[in-house]
Amino acid sequence: LKACRRVQVIDDSCNIEILIHVKKQAAECAREARRELEDRLAQDKITVTGLLDSIRDLGELLELDIPHDPKEAEKVSGSRYRAATLKAVGTYSIGGTSINVREYPPALACLLLQAAHFTSLVTSAIEETDSTTHRIFEGESLSSQGKLDSESKDGTANGTEDPSAQRIKSPVANNNQWK
């Protein structure tokens, strides 16, 4: 950020090619830093301190008013910044929710991204609980899901003849167990 601030004083009408080149490189580094900070905001497993630092740094970076690169999308598509959740530059899809972080201030973008992660986690927890509940009411035991209960082909638990170790199954449960 300090280097970008220093380079900003170079006038666009400057005729010294090395200074023009330095200014272009500084602008590219600032755009790269912006993408990295946006990616950090979009992470689901990041510390609060990391989020706050990213929000602060991104806010300071946006204050520099770095010119937009029209070819940025082409540069990013084949680079390491092409995240799985990234649809376009600055746009993330989390749990079916698409958020363009460049349309919002950094703090609001962070809030929207983290809310999308939370919604996705809650939805998956509800779906898992619903699935488990349906299996339980259909007669399937919880231990068969985790393969904790290894039954032999003759229906005895762990290959033993101990009748107390056998599960009691209803005929309906046997029919629905493997659907």
Side-chain angles (χ1 to χ4, degrees), residues 64-107:
L64 294 177
D65 198 29
I66 303 298
H68 176 71
D69 183 8
K71 296 180 181 179
E72 185 175 19
E74 295 171 9
K75 292 177 184 176
V76 173
S77 66
S79 74
R80 64 185 172 120
Y81 299 106
R82 185 73 181 160
T85 59
L86 186 66
K87 287 184 162 184
V89 178
T91 304
Y92 297 87
S93 179
I94 301 166
T97 304
S98 183
I99 300 165
N100 186 347
V101 296
R102 296 188 175 190
E103 293 178 357
Y104 306 101

Side-chain angles (χ1 to χ4, degrees), residues 127-140 176:
E127 289 172 355
E128 183 179 329
T129 303
D130 190 42
S131 172
T132 303
T133 303
H134 284 295
R135 284 196 315 267
I136 289 171
F137 282 118
E138 290 174 355
E140 183 179 333
N176 292 331

Side-chain angles (χ1 to χ4, degrees), residues 28-128:
E28 184 59 36
C29 288
R31 285 189 284 273
E32 184 177 330
R34 180 179 184 175
R35 288 189 298 267
E36 286 179 4
L37 291 168
E38 290 170 347
D39 284 345
R40 286 193 74 193
L41 292 179
Q43 291 177 1
D44 60 339
K45 293 181 171 96
I46 186 170
T47 63
V48 174
T49 306
L51 283 174
L52 293 175
D53 290 344
S54 297
I55 290 169
R56 182 198 63 233
D57 293 344
L58 187 56
E60 290 177 9
L61 189 62
L62 293 176
E63 288 175 2
L64 294 177
D65 198 29
I66 303 298
H68 176 71
D69 183 8
K71 296 180 181 179
E72 185 175 19
E74 295 171 9
K75 292 177 184 176
V76 173
S77 66
S79 74
R80 64 185 172 120
Y81 299 106
R82 185 73 181 160
T85 59
L86 186 66
K87 287 184 162 184
V89 178
T91 304
Y92 297 87
S93 179
I94 301 166
T97 304
S98 183
I99 300 165
N100 186 347
V101 296
R102 296 188 175 190
E103 293 178 357
Y104 306 101
L108 182 57
C110 176
L111 181 63
L112 291 171
L113 289 165
Q114 295 304 314
H117 283 299
F118 178 75
T119 302
S120 177
L121 285 172
V122 169
T123 301
S124 66
I126 289 172
E127 289 172 355
E128 183 179 329

